[in-house]
């Protein structure tokens, strides 16, 4: 552990982290904690005056690297300031650049870089009344196999950590059925909020490709889709460890 004086008190009273940045972290949460080495990151945060001794000790008290990484990201980065987020990203740039790249594109809410899937892609969602309607059972049936990794979307849609864990437990190692249950639960628990517009924006925020975004838009508008030329559904066991 780095030698740090307990009298050291960082000043982290800068701009709060935006909702867009939080969604970006949430969308890449699993990838971040699967490989994150917390110690050099925390040393960098301390040198930037956005982290203190007690924070360091709190994270270090967790018994595994993964638990430490989870505590760092969940308790200190996603709930911290923009200054701390940038310091965190810079630390990853030095030691684990492949993780830093997850936090550069898209850079949310106009904070210095362009946003793929930003205002231009959202424009028609605000002008077409069909996007403001609640998603239907038919929509869930036709879109769930196209979602793939779904937990970032679930966070964007406002589902709780407990519900996300329950969805995983109910459909162990079955990514497609987890995606389906996510949509069913969202439609049931977020009456009035579970709109096509909210779902499409969650897809874009979580960097889902134009194919699934365009399909969701067409389904929302009631366009005719030739399902015979759609891609093969997501593998039910993709991205899971044995």
């Amino acid at each position: 552990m780095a030698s740090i004086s307990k009298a050291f008190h960082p000043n982290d009273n800068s701009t709060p982290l935006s909702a867009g940045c939080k969604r970006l972290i949430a969308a890449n949460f699993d990838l971040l904690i699967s490989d994150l080495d917390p110690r050099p990151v925390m040393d960098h945060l301390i040198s930037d005056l956005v982290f203190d001794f007690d924070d360091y000790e709190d994270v270090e008290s967790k018994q595994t690297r993964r638990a430490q990484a989870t505590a760092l990201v969940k308790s200190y980065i996603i709930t911290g300031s923009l200054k701390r987020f940038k310091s965190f990203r810079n630390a990853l740039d030095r030691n684990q650049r492949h993780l830093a790249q997850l936090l550069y594109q898209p850079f949310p809410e106009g904070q210095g870089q362009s946003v793929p899937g930003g205002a231009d892609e959202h424009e028609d969602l605000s002008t077409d009344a069909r996007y403001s309607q609640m998603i239907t059972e038919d929509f869930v049936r036709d879109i769930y196999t196209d979602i793939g990794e779904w937990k970032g979307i679930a966070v964007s849609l406002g589902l709780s950590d407990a519900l996300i864990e329950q969805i995983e437990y109910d459909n162990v190692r079955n990514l497609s059925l987890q995606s389906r249950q996510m949509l069913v639960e969202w439609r049931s628990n977020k009456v009035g909020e579970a709109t096509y517009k909210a779902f499409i924006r969650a897809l874009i925020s979580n960097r889902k490709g134009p194919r699934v975004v365009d399909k969701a838009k067409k389904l929302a508008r009631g366009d005719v889709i030739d399902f015979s030329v759609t891609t093969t559904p997501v593998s039910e066991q993709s991205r899971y460890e044995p």
Side-chain angles (χ1 to χ4, degrees):
M1 183 178 68
S3 177
I4 308 160
S5 169
K6 285 191 177 183
F8 180 74
H9 295 292
N11 180 9
D12 191 24
N13 296 321
S14 58
T15 305
L17 192 62
S18 70
C21 284
K22 292 178 181 179
R23 288 194 298 270
L24 183 58
I25 296 170
N28 293 289
F29 181 78
D30 287 344
L31 293 174
L32 285 170
I33 65 171
S34 68
D35 204 24
L36 178 64
D37 183 3
R39 288 186 177 184
V41 172
M42 291 192 292
D43 287 340
H44 184 90
L45 294 173
I46 286 168
S47 71
D48 276 353
L49 308 184
V50 293
F51 209 63
D52 65 18
F53 180 85
D54 290 337
D55 300 336
Y56 197 113
E57 289 286 299
D58 178 49
V59 173
E60 279 263 295
S61 69
K62 309 303 185 283
Q63 296 190 357
T64 66
R65 182 211 58 81
R66 187 179 180 88
Q68 291 173 358
T70 299
L72 177 61
V73 175
K74 256 189 156 180
S75 300
Y76 295 101
I77 303 304
I78 203 167
T79 61
S81 67
L82 178 60
K83 182 179 178 181
R84 184 183 289 174
F85 171 79
K86 288 182 176 179
S87 177
F88 174 71
R89 191 183 60 189
N90 289 339
L92 293 177
D93 244 340
R94 291 186 174 188
N95 301 291
Q96 296 182 288
R97 181 160 292 184
H98 64 294
L99 296 182
Q101 293 305 311
L102 300 173
L103 304 179
Y104 274 107
Q105 292 293 340
F107 200 83
E109 299 187 6
Q111 295 177 4
Q113 297 187 26
S114 61
V115 185
D120 290 342
E121 294 187 51
H122 288 331
E123 185 175 357
D124 64 330
L125 301 181
S126 299
T127 58
D128 192 327
R130 289 173 292 186
Y131 293 123
S132 297
Q133 298 176 6
M134 289 276 293
I135 64 170
T136 64
E137 292 181 5
D138 287 346
F139 177 81
V140 172
R141 180 200 63 208
D142 291 336
I143 200 70
Y144 79 91
T145 57
D146 297 88
I147 293 173
E149 188 60 52
W150 58 276
K151 283 186 280 188
I153 293 175
V155 172
S156 298
L157 295 177
L159 272 63
S160 67
D161 290 344
L163 183 52
I164 291 171
E165 290 178 6
Q166 185 63 47
I167 291 171
E168 285 190 292
Y169 179 81
D170 290 344
N171 305 279
V172 177
R173 299 178 64 178
N174 194 320
L175 197 63
S176 290
L177 290 185
Q178 289 173 6
S179 298
R180 182 181 183 279
Q181 186 175 340
M182 171 194 70
L183 291 176
V184 171
E185 296 286 356
W186 180 52
R187 186 169 177 267
S188 173
N189 294 317
K190 298 288 183 177
V191 176
E193 299 178 23
T195 63
Y196 295 109
K197 177 166 60 178
F199 177 69
I200 293 167
R201 285 180 170 171
L203 289 177
I204 294 171
S205 296
N206 286 275
R207 294 184 289 176
K208 296 299 179 181
R211 184 191 63 81
V212 64
V213 172
D214 288 344
K215 181 177 178 181
K217 287 181 176 180
K218 288 177 180 178
L219 289 170
R221 294 193 303 261
D223 295 353
V224 175
I225 298 178
D226 183 358
F227 289 99
S228 66
V229 297
T230 58
T231 57
T232 303
V234 174
S235 168
E236 293 183 350
Q237 296 191 17
S238 64
R239 303 196 186 190
Y240 284 92
E241 298 176 359

